[in-house]
Amino acid sequence: MIKTILVDDEVHCLDTLSILLANYCPEVKILAKCQSGEDALDSIGKFRPDLVFLDIQMPGMNGFQLLENFVQVPFSVIFATGYDQYAIKAIRLNALDYLLKPIDARELLAAIHKIKSHSHLPSKEQFEAMNSQLKKLENCFSKIAIATLEGYEMVPVKEIIYCEADNNYTHFHIKNGKKKTACRTLKEVEEQLLIFSFFIRVHHSYLINLNEVDKYVRGEGGYLVMNGDSTVNVSRNRKELLLKKLTSGK
């Protein structure tokens, strides 16, 4: 029996993976389903799992920050991610396991088989090298493709002030007062922009460029005044991480 914990901030992703494991991997026993890194740390300490399915991008504490809590990671890890091909390459280069969302049952079976056949756990150095390579991508291709009627418009990511959710659409607020809209959810945009360390989700409706923040105004969650005098609300549960980023400059 493989004792397992699932970690993802999206409930539907946890539910989907739970169903797939129940239907195709009866040897996997789910001990806990966690929607944050903090909850995952508590469950890991309590249940001591053999395997953790780990979403990389989560509010508060992301997947890498969770793993940094261990001198030696005492469990196998399968990343469940919506990352693009460049980040997947970084995962592969460091011989780590992953599943690309939406998860395919055959790929899940292959990942579990690989975990069962492993004779050793992944090292912390593997995770650190992967994280370092992802950060280096910031200096590579630095534009995002926004679909238009004619094709795609390439927008430099450093010109994006913030992104705003509108159901299944995302509005990109760009320097010089421009606004462009893409038929993609904010979660999808967030996963693509994760490799750029200056982007952070501050609200379920907003993803912001830290370099474009002019002022933070205190409140229950507070709000940000961005370049161009637009304001962005900050949710209470994302306030602490935002202030840490703003004050540390990291």
Side-chain angles (χ1 to χ4, degrees), residues 58 83 202:
M58 296 181 292
Y83 264 14
V202 297

Side-chain angles (χ1 to χ4, degrees), residues 31-209:
L31 302 177
K33 294 189 285 185
C34 308
Q35 287 185 252
S36 71
E38 292 83 359
D39 288 345
L41 279 178
D42 290 341
S43 293
I44 289 168
K46 179 179 179 181
F47 295 110
R48 301 186 181 278
D50 305 309
L51 169 65
V52 172
F53 285 89
L54 183 59
D55 186 20
I56 296 175
Q57 172 62 6
M58 296 181 292
M61 179 189 295
N62 65 33
F64 292 118
Q65 291 168 330
L66 186 154
L67 295 172
E68 286 171 358
N69 284 273
F70 301 93
V71 175
Q72 178 62 48
V73 179
F75 46 79
S76 297
V77 175
I78 296 178
F79 292 106
T81 177
Y83 264 14
D84 62 22
Q85 59 180 319
Y86 301 104
I88 292 299
K89 182 178 180 180
I91 297 174
R92 287 174 173 165
L93 281 173
N94 290 286
L96 296 167
D97 298 309
Y98 74 95
L99 291 168
L100 191 61
K101 297 176 183 177
I103 294 173
D104 179 81
R106 288 170 297 181
E107 293 177 355
L108 175 61
L109 282 167
I112 293 298
H113 176 75
K114 190 174 179 181
I115 290 296
K116 290 165 64 176
S117 63
H118 278 175
S119 58
H120 58 275
L121 295 173
S123 68
K124 188 170 185 179
E125 287 73 24
Q126 284 174 285
F127 297 123
E128 290 174 346
M130 175 186 161
N131 195 17
S132 175
Q133 287 168 356
L134 290 175
K135 289 180 178 178
K136 286 179 182 177
L137 290 174
E138 294 180 20
N139 300 317
C140 299
F141 192 65
S142 58
K143 293 184 178 181
I144 187 169
I146 299 178
T148 66
L149 291 175
E150 294 79 22
Y152 290 92
E153 182 172 354
M154 306 307 295
V155 175
V157 294
K158 291 185 178 181
E159 292 188 7
I160 299 171
I161 299 173
Y162 67 96
C163 304
E164 179 183 9
D166 184 5
N167 293 318
N168 291 325
Y169 294 86
T170 297
H171 303 300
F172 293 81
H173 296 264
I174 302 168
K175 291 181 181 179
N176 300 321
K178 297 179 181 179
K179 185 172 83 168
K180 301 185 182 298
T181 301
C183 185
R184 294 152 70 186
T185 65
L186 187 60
K187 177 68 174 178
E188 292 170 326
V189 171
E190 180 183 17
E191 287 173 341
Q192 187 171 358
L193 291 176
L194 176 65
I195 61 172
F196 301 96
S197 59
F198 48 86
F199 279 96
I200 180 174
R201 187 79 167 262
V202 297
H203 188 276
H204 70 272
S205 294
Y206 297 109
L207 173 72
I208 63 111
N209 181 344

